[in-house]
Amino acid sequence: MLAEPGERFTWLLGPSDALAAVQPELHGATTSPTTASAEVRSALADALRTRGVLADPSEEPPRPPRIGIWGEGPVAALLRHLVRPWAQVLTDSVGEGMVSPIERHPTPSHAARLASPPDRAPTEPEVEELARRGGDILVTCAEWLPDTSFAALDAQCSDAGLAWHHCHAEGTGIAVGPMQVPGGPRYRDWRGRRLAASTTPDELESYWAYLSSPATAPPPAPQPSDAVAAVAAGHLLADLQHWWGRRTPTVPAHEHLVDHDAHGRLQVTHHPVLPLP
């Protein structure tokens, strides 16, 4: 019997030696302990692959992505910690010497850097340099939404052939994405749909302009809770890995809003983002 997620059970009928030969493969083994008929084993393996249970061992996993990470807040710190076993970090606005994000009591020299993201986004030459070094993805973790900078980054990453993921403070929570990939929805699509869905679009656009203006100094965004920062970083990583494993623009684009509800419980809402007509 095959037990799958979601309480799905399938009875597998066939020669016992063939079933015994395939069972280790379902658990990651590369060799079989039995001498079952190659024809029977092959037919059973093909049926399981069709069902999506057995991966093709001839398919090599994609190479590690080359990522540039920009930001100094707790979400960026956690993301750096999470991506390093999986990806190659080419550019880093903090540097290799930053304190581990899982350290509960950072030293004073790092405390301020963990609490406040940089006051600017990557410049066009910095985006071009990431692409020149063979970068695949740029991730920016901002404080308040830098609408003007994000609109420019959208175009720059598109021209450079880079995927781009991002997050920013939204009230007391964190808004993650949507991730922009070649051929998929862009920042302008997210922006346009947010304005179209708003009951006060003029005020919302003015608010974004205020947050982006170099002549203003909005107050610091509220520091996200540990839970909000961890879940936001997890969504960033999940989106990156989901896209990199498929490398297709058909990956659904979603915005994830991570916050606490009125009762203090962690709350995550997901909004699909479709291209504008």
Side-chain angles (χ1 to χ4, degrees), residues 2-272:
L2 174 65
E4 300 179 68
E7 299 184 2
R8 297 175 63 200
F9 298 97
T10 302
W11 285 101
L12 303 179
L13 303 178
S16 59
D17 58 343
L19 294 175
V22 172
Q23 185 178 20
E25 298 179 24
L26 294 173
H27 297 277
T30 57
T31 59
S32 173
T34 71
T35 57
S37 164
E39 182 178 351
V40 174
R41 287 185 63 246
S42 177
L44 181 57
D46 288 344
L48 292 174
R49 288 191 188 95
T50 301
R51 189 175 174 83
V53 174
L54 189 63
D56 189 342
S58 65
E59 294 180 359
E60 295 185 1
R63 64 167 174 80
R66 294 180 285 263
I67 299 178
I69 300 177
W70 197 271
E72 297 183 22
V75 177
L78 284 166
L79 182 63
R80 287 185 182 90
H81 176 70
L82 294 170
V83 302
R84 289 196 185 281
W86 168 70
Q88 179 185 2
V89 180
L90 289 184
T91 61
D92 190 323
S93 63
V94 171
E96 293 290 337
M98 196 190 74
V99 69
S100 169
I102 60 173
E103 184 176 332
R104 295 296 301 173
H105 303 289
T107 60
S109 62
H110 290 102
R113 294 166 66 186
L114 285 172
S116 57
D119 59 1
R120 67 176 180 88
T123 63
E124 186 171 2
E126 288 166 336
V127 173
E128 292 174 350
E129 174 65 12
L130 175 61
R132 187 191 67 77
R133 295 178 61 191
D136 302 296
I137 305 167
L138 172 66
V139 183
T140 53
C141 299
E143 195 176 40
W144 295 120
L145 175 64
D147 180 52
T148 303
S149 297
F150 273 14
L153 276 175
D154 183 26
Q156 292 162 12
C157 289
S158 180
D159 292 343
L162 291 172
W164 174 44
H165 210 348
H166 51 84
C167 68
H168 66 272
E170 188 89 7
T172 59
I174 299 291
V176 177
M179 183 177 178
Q180 273 83 66
V181 302
R186 310 300 305 178
Y187 177 75
R188 71 175 190 89
D189 299 309
W190 172 87
R191 189 182 190 279
R193 292 194 177 278
R194 276 290 299 267
L195 291 172
S198 175
T199 56
T200 55
D202 292 340
E203 287 78 3
L204 179 59
E205 195 162 25
S206 296
Y207 173 58
W208 288 345
Y210 160 73
L211 296 176
S212 297
S213 174
T216 60
Q223 190 78 336
S225 70
D226 291 345
V228 167
V231 173
H235 274 296
L236 285 167
L237 178 64
D239 287 347
L240 296 176
Q241 292 182 330
H242 183 70
W243 175 71
W244 186 253
R246 290 160 177 78
R247 302 300 303 276
T248 168
T250 60
V251 174
H254 286 83
E255 177 189 38
H256 317 288
L257 297 177
V258 187
D259 204 349
H260 293 283
D261 64 16
H263 303 286
R265 295 173 300 212
L266 190 68
Q267 176 176 274
V268 183
T269 56
H270 309 279
H271 304 290

